């Protein structure tokens, strides 16, 4: 079911990192097995502390916290760019040089190590403009490697990305409950030499997120777990969790509880959205309601994301349709989420 990946204990004695490193596929980069995403509430000093502990892969985006996150990253890496592996999410068109330059300028760097196209529709992943953009920006030295990050139609987007063949890294949202569906994808990615970064791994796993870490790290092909961490204590817990031995009995229990925990919660497959005859962004609305509103620290993100959606469903326009809810194989009360988002976030 799962296979151990090549763990390289960080053996550099000088300034010995507290966290193990793994190769990020064929990129030639080595990154820590637990790494920093940049979510809400992250202080610059917490990031600096993480980097000092060896958690030196940081992924950021211009969009997080209305631009505050990327500025915090810039501050945290100032004077130590050489110690950091930098991931940057591209939220603009693949020919928009100005946006790319502005993001790099904000970060105070000449280039990113990995740039991630942020795509949530498999058909869009196949659009040749992304390959063209990636090749052009690579030639211009804007980044060294190209990644694909996705959290909607996730499995299909990843498969499309693998078919395209030019990605070096994939970064899906993923939890233990998705293992059966995603393992063949991870196996294929590993075989093709791609690095795999997991994000949003704690979704609906409250209470077991650190215990589950060794099980994620033992999954085929996984390089690192990337998550926003807002306290020194959680940095330490993440690192400790990454060193914990694999407990097979705990694995059985965690997998079973992950399935139960995910039942009725969104897996971000996007099928509800595909079913919507009005083209409403149903899955994004469910994400805002189901995920963000369940975590106090993400309420602002929920608000911003919802308000940024171009086509939110409205109950007065939906009528009795309910095709989205009927399309959901995970039993998510989609109509309830639409109503809740409309009430709380609009
Ligand atoms: S609500 Fe259901 S169908 Fe829609 S994205 Fe979530 S799991 Fe998939
Ligand atoms: S209920 Fe509304 S959001 Fe859902 S499928 Fe129908 S029109 Fe789309």
């Amino acid at each position: 079911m799962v296979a151990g990946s090549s763990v390289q204990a960080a053996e550099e004695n000088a300034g010995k990192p507290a966290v193990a490193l793994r190769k990020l596929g064929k990129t030639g980069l080595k990154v820590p097995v637990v790494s920093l995403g940049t979510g809400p509430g992250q202080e610059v000093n917490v990031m600096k502390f993480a980097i000092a502990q060896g958690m030196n892969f940081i992924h950021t985006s211009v969009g997080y916290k209305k631009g505050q996150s990327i500025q915090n990253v810039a501050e945290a890496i100032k004077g130590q760019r050489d110690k950091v592996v930098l991931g940057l999410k591209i939220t603009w068109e693949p020919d928009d040089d100005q946006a790319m330059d502005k993001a790099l300028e904000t970060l105070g760097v000449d280039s990113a190590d990995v740039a991630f196209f942020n795509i949530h529709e498999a058909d869009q992943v196949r659009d040749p403009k992304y390959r063209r953009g990636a090749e052009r920006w690579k030639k211009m030295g804007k980044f060294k490697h190209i990644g694909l990050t996705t959290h909607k139609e996730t499995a299909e987007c990843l498969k499309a990305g693998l078919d395209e063949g030019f990605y070096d890294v994939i970064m899906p949202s993923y939890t233990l409950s998705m293992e059966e569906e995603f393992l063949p994808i991870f196996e294929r990615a590993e075989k093709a030499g791609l690095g795999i970064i997991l994000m949003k791994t704690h979704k609906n796993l409250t209470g077991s997120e650190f215990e589950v870490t060794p099980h994620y790290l033992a999954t085929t092909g996984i390089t690192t777990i990337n998550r926003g961490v807002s306290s020194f204590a959680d940095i330490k817990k993440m690192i400790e969790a990454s060193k914990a031995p694999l407990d097979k009995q705990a694995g059985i229990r965690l997998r079973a509880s992950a399935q139960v925990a995910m039942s009725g919660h969104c897996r971000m497959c996007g099928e509800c959205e595909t079913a919507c005859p009005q083209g409403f962004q149903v899955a994004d609305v469910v994400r805002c309601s189901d995920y963000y509103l369940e975590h106090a620290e993400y309420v602002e993100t929920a608000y911003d994301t919802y308000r940024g959606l171009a086509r939110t469903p409205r109950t007065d326009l939906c009528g009795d349709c309910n095709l989205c809810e009927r399309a959901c194989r995970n039993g998510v009360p989609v109509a309830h989420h639409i109503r809740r988002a409309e009430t709380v976030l609009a």
Side-chain angles (χ1 to χ4, degrees):
M1 180 168 52
V2 291
S5 298
S6 55
V7 182
Q8 296 185 342
E11 286 172 344
E12 295 95 308
N13 285 329
K16 204 172 181 177
V19 56
L21 305 175
R22 285 184 181 176
K23 287 180 185 167
L24 187 63
K26 290 193 290 199
T27 63
L29 297 168
K30 281 184 181 176
V31 298
V33 294
V34 283
S35 54
L36 271 185
T38 45
Q42 263 173 332
E43 297 293 334
V44 172
N45 278 347
V46 172
M47 285 193 237
K48 284 184 175 173
F49 177 71
I51 295 166
Q53 302 302 303
M55 270 175 74
N56 65 342
F57 171 64
I58 304 180
H59 174 252
T60 192
S61 163
V62 291
Y64 297 156
K65 290 286 285 176
K66 296 181 181 153
Q68 187 58 51
S69 291
I70 194 168
Q71 285 175 31
N72 286 354
V73 171
E75 185 64 28
I77 66 173
K78 207 171 176 179
Q80 52 175 352
R81 172 67 182 97
D82 56 329
K83 292 186 187 156
V84 173
V85 178
L86 194 56
L88 174 64
K89 185 160 88 174
I90 301 174
T91 52
W92 48 88
E93 283 295 304
D95 59 357
D96 189 343
D97 290 356
Q98 261 189 333
M100 185 65 152
D101 288 344
K102 192 160 179 256
L104 295 175
E105 191 187 323
T106 305
L107 281 164
V109 300
D110 297 327
S111 66
D113 295 292
V114 189
F116 292 87
F117 281 128
N118 179 39
I119 312 178
H120 310 295
E121 286 175 29
D123 284 347
Q124 213 182 331
V125 175
R126 295 191 190 94
D127 189 328
K129 71 181 181 183
Y130 291 99
R131 179 192 286 267
R132 280 200 302 272
E135 286 170 355
R136 202 171 60 83
W137 275 334
K138 252 187 186 178
K139 259 189 212 154
M140 292 165 81
K142 304 288 182 191
F143 54 78
K144 298 180 191 73
H145 308 285
I146 181 72
L148 170 67
T149 183
T150 176
H151 55 64
K152 195 168 76 180
E153 288 189 26
T154 311
E156 294 312 311
C157 283
L158 294 181
K159 286 180 205 164
L162 287 166
D163 291 344
E164 287 302 305
F166 67 92
Y167 288 103
D168 305 303
V169 183
I170 51 175
M171 182 163 63
S173 62
Y174 176 80
T175 80
L176 209 53
S177 65
M178 302 172 185
E179 192 172 68
E180 200 178 319
E181 183 183 11
F182 278 66
L183 267 181
I185 300 171
F186 292 161
E187 281 162 10
R188 193 179 153 199
E190 185 183 48
K191 217 168 167 186
L194 273 70
I196 305 173
I197 299 170
L198 300 182
M199 63 172 181
K200 300 185 193 292
T201 49
H202 57 302
K203 185 173 180 288
N204 294 319
L205 285 174
T206 312
S208 56
E209 60 180 287
F210 293 113
E211 190 185 9
V212 80
T213 299
H215 301 277
Y216 285 137
L217 293 179
T219 302
T220 304
I222 302 309
T223 311
T224 181
I225 301 169
N226 190 261
R227 96 155 270 208
V229 188
S230 54
S231 74
F232 296 108
D234 278 357
I235 297 280
K236 286 183 178 174
K237 281 186 203 164
M238 268 180 87
I239 293 173
E240 284 313 306
S242 74
K243 296 176 190 169
L246 195 66
D247 179 335
K248 285 191 178 163
Q249 285 307 314
I252 293 168
R253 175 173 49 76
L254 286 165
R255 283 179 174 83
S257 66
Q259 289 298 343
V260 174
M262 278 307 286
S263 172
H265 289 277
C266 183
R267 298 160 63 96
M268 301 182 192
C269 68
E271 285 171 20
C272 52
E273 199 161 303
T274 308
C276 177
Q278 305 239 37
F280 289 141
Q281 288 166 284
V282 193
D284 290 311
V285 169
V286 173
R287 176 163 58 98
C288 291
S289 169
D290 179 47
Y291 175 40
Y292 292 143
L293 289 185
E294 302 301 325
H295 300 270
E297 73 270 30
Y298 287 110
V299 166
E300 219 177 307
T301 307
Y303 187 69
D304 291 343
T305 306
Y306 186 82
R307 287 175 66 93
L309 296 176
R311 286 189 56 74
T312 45
R314 284 197 358 228
T315 44
D316 60 328
L317 297 177
C318 289
D320 296 327
C321 166
N322 212 28
L323 285 172
C324 48
E325 187 161 314
R326 279 190 268 156
C328 179
R329 285 179 286 169
N330 211 37
V332 174
V334 178
H336 159 78
H337 287 298
I338 292 171
R339 275 196 305 278
R340 176 161 85 157
E342 198 177 18
T343 309
V344 180
L345 301 172

